[in-house]
Amino acid sequence: MSGRGSGSSSWRIHAALAGAQTGFAIFPILGKLVLPAIPPLLFAAFRATAAALLLDAFRRRHEKDERIRREDRPRILLYGLLGVSFNQILFILGLSLTTAINTTVLMTLIPVITLAAAVLLGRERMSARAAVGIVLAGAGALALLNAQRFDWSSASFRGDVLLIANTVSYSLYLVLSRPVLARYHFVTFTAAVFRYGAIPILIVALPQLLRFSPASVPARAWLAFAGVILIGTVIPYLLNAWALARTHASHVAFYVFLQPFIATILAIAILGEELTAKTAVAALLIFAGLGVTAARGRLSPRPVP
């Protein structure tokens, strides 16, 4: 690499990017171990709240004087709904219904859908390369849904649909938030988005929270949940942010490919899941779409928070 990624720090950047994607790949595996003991909505509420508290503590330590302007607060609320509330609820519900393999494959749609949303909203121009990438990734998503024959009674089909809706919500967040994000330090902005976004999830999950008994959750599930917060959320987010500050976003896109491969291996080894031929074909189509559109660095490679 050249520029910010050159010299002796280059291997650290590669290690950070690989570590970040490994952490994000581990999250669906650990999430599957948590869900039998903690209901999906409550799991989403716990995760969003824990992330909000940790990010706000980090903000207070490093960015004490920066505050969100009053005129930007309605926009931050919208970003919180798209990037945290809908994102977390759809993701956890989807994960609870489908496989960890399908989950991580569908998450690689985010960069392509982000580009498609940017084109539809007039933020990007449609190029031949972008069109081919979007079509390939879309074909992959349809192939994965067709594996369940578009049967709404199938839990896996419903889970895949919810995960695709999750990618759309998060992609809209990425596209719409960029102008406001440019006005603030990324820690200040992200902490505010999580503060606003965690509240609606807590409200929705309140009935489950009132009935919840922490003592009924086995130690293994609590340990997996701690792993979700630290290994699957906080550590990879910080590694990704550190690397993005030192290299170009186009360099990061390559590492998105690591996530489904690592997650698939872990899902087979730990959860006993199977990689079907249709899922493999769908993954190859989505990867092809991602590869085509990422070739010139036009994609945001940022994963689900």
Side-chain angles (χ1 to χ4, degrees):
M1 286 193 295
S2 61
R4 288 175 288 175
S6 62
S8 61
S9 65
S10 178
W11 72 269
R12 294 187 180 91
I13 294 171
H14 286 292
L17 291 171
Q21 292 304 319
T22 300
F24 288 123
I26 288 172
F27 168 61
I29 312 302
L30 294 176
K32 278 292 190 181
L33 299 176
V34 174
L35 283 166
I38 301 178
L41 283 177
L42 204 53
F43 183 11
F46 286 165
R47 187 188 183 213
T49 303
L53 292 172
L54 288 170
L55 284 167
D56 201 56
F58 192 80
R59 176 193 67 83
R60 289 176 183 275
R61 182 172 180 179
H62 296 278
E63 296 293 325
K64 295 180 181 179
D65 297 329
E66 190 173 32
R67 295 289 184 272
I68 299 295
R69 301 168 192 167
R70 184 182 298 272
E71 61 270 21
D72 286 333
R73 290 174 187 171
R75 296 185 181 91
I76 297 293
L77 174 59
L78 173 62
Y79 307 152
L81 290 171
L82 291 172
V84 178
S85 303
F86 299 153
N87 173 33
Q88 293 290 318
I89 290 173
L90 291 169
F91 182 84
I92 300 295
L93 285 175
L95 176 64
S96 71
L97 294 171
T98 191
T99 65
I101 293 175
N102 282 16
T103 298
T104 192
V105 167
L106 289 171
M107 287 305 97
T108 58
L109 282 171
I110 288 175
V112 182
I113 293 179
T114 299
L115 177 57
V119 169
L120 289 174
L121 293 172
R123 307 289 177 87
E124 292 266 4
R125 289 186 177 184
M126 176 65 79
S127 66
R129 182 184 294 273
V132 170
I134 291 168
V135 169
L136 284 171
L142 288 174
L144 195 60
L145 292 177
N146 190 47
Q148 285 84 45
R149 301 181 182 276
F150 294 90
D151 181 8
W152 191 253
S153 65
S154 165
S156 184
F157 176 81
R158 295 198 305 274
D160 291 344
V161 170
L162 289 171
L163 288 169
I164 292 173
N166 158 266
T167 65
V168 172
S169 178
Y170 191 71
S171 296
L172 287 172
Y173 158 72
L174 288 178
V175 174
L176 294 174
S177 67
R178 280 171 180 164
V180 177
L181 173 58
R183 303 173 196 168
Y184 300 97
H185 188 280
F186 79 93
V187 173
T188 302
F189 178 85
T190 308
V193 167
F194 266 84
R195 281 199 309 274
Y196 281 79
I199 294 172
I201 304 179
L202 283 171
I203 294 173
V204 172
L206 186 59
Q208 291 185 358
L209 182 61
L210 294 175
R211 297 191 302 268
F212 179 65
S213 172
S216 66
V217 179
R220 180 191 181 196
W222 282 124
L223 186 61
F225 178 75
V228 165
I229 301 302
L230 294 175
I231 301 173
T233 307
V234 175
I235 292 175
Y237 173 80
L238 292 175
L239 287 173
N240 213 42
W242 181 88
L244 280 170
R246 290 161 175 81
T247 190
H248 300 289
S250 58
H251 295 157
V252 186
F254 168 78
Y255 286 89
V256 175
F257 291 99
L258 283 179
Q259 190 178 145
F261 287 110
I262 294 171
T264 297
I265 292 170
L266 293 174
I268 293 171
I270 297 174
L271 302 176
E273 294 185 359
E274 295 182 1
L275 177 61
T276 66
K278 289 183 177 180
T279 300
V281 170
L284 288 175
L285 286 169
I286 292 172
F287 295 165
L290 175 61
V292 167
T293 46
R296 292 186 179 178
R298 295 197 57 188
L299 298 181
S300 169
R302 184 179 175 184
V304 178

